[in-house]
Amino acid sequence: MPSPDADQVVSPFHHTSVLLEGAVDTLVHDKSGIYLDGTFGRGGHSRLILSRLDEQGQLMAMDRDPQAIAASAGIDDARFQITQREFAHLADYAREQGVYGKLSGVLLDVGVSSPQLDDPERGFSFMRNGPLDMRMDPTQGESAAEFLARAKEADIAHVFKAYGEERYAKRLARAVVERRAETPFTHTVDLAEVLKAAHPAWEKGRHPATKAFQGLRIYLNGELDQLDAALDAALEALAPGGHLVIISFHSLEDRRVKRFIRHHVRGDTHLPRGVPIRDDQLNRRLEALGKGVRPSDEEVAGNPRARSAVMRAARKRV
């Protein structure tokens, strides 16, 4: 059975799983089923899922962050297995294990985790000075420092605007390019101070570098493309009647999730007007399990990072 929280073993940085009870309550509908946690993080959801399964139940987990994989060593349970890879490849994982099309449920907790934000060495936060990295898997891809050193001003502005929804993206990108001509960016607080000085309209209670940092992180990790691929893969990997549960933390993610569920609930609505077709021919593949769920006031009070979270869920049609 699961051992005590492994966070204390591999990391001093604590993580509180958001919408923990609600997500697992919605996900686990068959105690003997096979479930997949596509974003293990520090294992909060996985541990609760395991506690809800009987001896025949199984839990597969995955995460691209090496530190998350290290944290999973704290779970000593024969019903549990984990792999290091991006959740966009969850269908490949299911095929390898012979459970493709047989999963009882898939959980995706999208975005950055608290330990990633709190560890200065990961370079995600403008509040703690550290190397300007921002990669969820530090062994793969381009760091934020490398991107900012070589990207054109227009490309930096695009990242700030498209992925961070930063209104003053062009102004901030210009400030970055002007400063890097003198000294390259290598650390988070340095970049945050340049963005702060260049930002003309600070929002109350929000650091002016927030949206630009978000945009960099989402772009560098390909988070939106990963999410789109994971949603498609999960739909195919689920068994008929299987549950899909997604927790997202900002509007870019949630819009994609909402659009995906709505599309597969409605089915093929692009047929020519007047074409006779039965309801069962619309290829409706999902049933929505209620509306979006947000954390309670009590949860937000205890964990302010939960304030923007929203959970959506659907069942694959039989």
Side-chain angles (χ1 to χ4, degrees):
M1 297 301 292
S3 69
D5 194 342
D7 287 1
Q8 302 304 317
V9 177
V10 300
S11 171
F13 304 105
H14 180 67
H15 177 68
T16 301
S17 298
V18 175
L19 291 164
L20 177 61
E21 294 283 345
V24 176
D25 287 347
T26 304
L27 180 76
V28 179
H29 59 98
D30 176 5
K31 293 183 178 181
S32 301
I34 306 170
Y35 294 88
L36 189 149
D37 181 353
T39 45
F40 179 81
R42 292 303 182 268
H45 288 109
S46 282
R47 288 178 173 83
L48 188 57
I49 292 168
L50 284 167
S51 75
R52 303 286 179 86
L53 302 182
D54 62 22
E55 293 182 358
Q56 286 71 47
Q58 299 178 48
L59 175 61
M60 301 161 56
M62 54 198 306
D63 204 296
R64 60 168 140 176
D65 188 339
Q67 292 184 4
I69 302 302
S72 73
I75 297 182
D76 182 15
D77 193 318
R79 302 169 300 168
F80 175 79
Q81 61 176 298
I82 191 167
T83 185
Q84 183 181 347
R85 68 182 82 183
E86 299 164 338
F87 65 21
H89 302 302
L90 67 87
D92 295 334
Y93 184 26
R95 287 191 186 94
E96 292 167 10
Q97 302 304 316
V99 295
Y100 184 72
K102 301 178 182 179
L103 294 176
S104 300
V106 173
L107 171 66
L108 303 175
D109 184 1
V110 186
V112 67
S113 70
S114 290
Q116 289 169 330
L117 285 171
D118 293 338
D119 184 353
E121 294 302 311
R122 302 303 300 272
F124 285 101
S125 175
F126 45 79
M127 301 299 291
R128 297 169 175 83
N129 199 28
L132 192 55
D133 195 314
M134 295 194 188
R135 291 171 293 175
M136 292 185 179
D137 180 353
T139 68
Q140 301 291 325
E142 186 177 39
S143 71
E146 291 167 338
F147 170 74
L148 292 177
R150 60 90 183 160
K152 297 178 180 177
E153 181 179 322
D155 293 334
I156 297 172
H158 172 73
V159 167
F160 291 169
K161 178 69 173 179
Y163 300 106
E165 300 181 296
E166 173 54 67
R167 179 180 178 185
Y168 299 100
K170 291 183 178 179
R171 184 190 296 249
L172 299 189
R174 187 177 312 117
V176 167
V177 171
E178 289 175 354
R179 211 316 287 280
R180 80 178 181 191
E182 303 171 6
T183 309
F185 289 98
T186 60
H187 283 73
T188 53
V189 170
D190 182 22
L191 173 62
E193 287 301 312
V194 170
L195 296 172
K196 179 179 177 181
H199 205 293
W202 298 10
E203 295 181 45
K204 184 178 181 180
R206 184 192 290 264
H207 192 288
T210 299
K211 292 182 178 180
F213 265 66
Q214 173 188 293
L216 279 171
R217 190 204 83 220
I218 291 174
Y219 167 74
L220 292 168
N221 292 288
E223 293 178 37
L224 298 182
D225 290 340
Q226 287 279 321
L227 176 58
D228 289 341
L231 292 171
D232 288 335
L235 180 57
E236 301 304 328
L238 282 168
H243 290 193
L244 174 61
V245 178
I246 310 101
I247 302 170
S248 56
F249 288 84
H250 58 74
S251 58
L252 288 174
E253 298 165 341
D254 184 51
R255 283 198 295 267
R256 277 171 152 74
V257 173
K258 188 175 181 179
R259 185 167 60 241
F260 175 85
I261 293 175
R262 183 174 60 229
H263 170 73
H264 288 289
V265 166
R266 291 178 176 176
D268 188 354
T269 58
H270 300 292
L271 297 170
R273 184 186 297 272
V275 172
I277 188 169
R278 299 192 309 272
D279 185 71
D280 62 357
Q281 294 177 306
L282 289 173
N283 195 29
R284 292 173 173 164
R285 305 192 66 192
L286 289 175
E287 301 172 68
L289 295 175
K291 297 182 179 181
V293 175
R294 295 189 177 274
S296 65
D297 291 341
E298 292 77 12
E299 180 172 2
V300 172
N303 180 18
R305 286 176 177 166
R307 64 185 178 275
S308 62
V310 59
M311 181 186 78
R312 299 189 186 276
R315 178 190 296 113
K316 186 172 179 178
R317 284 179 174 267
V318 177

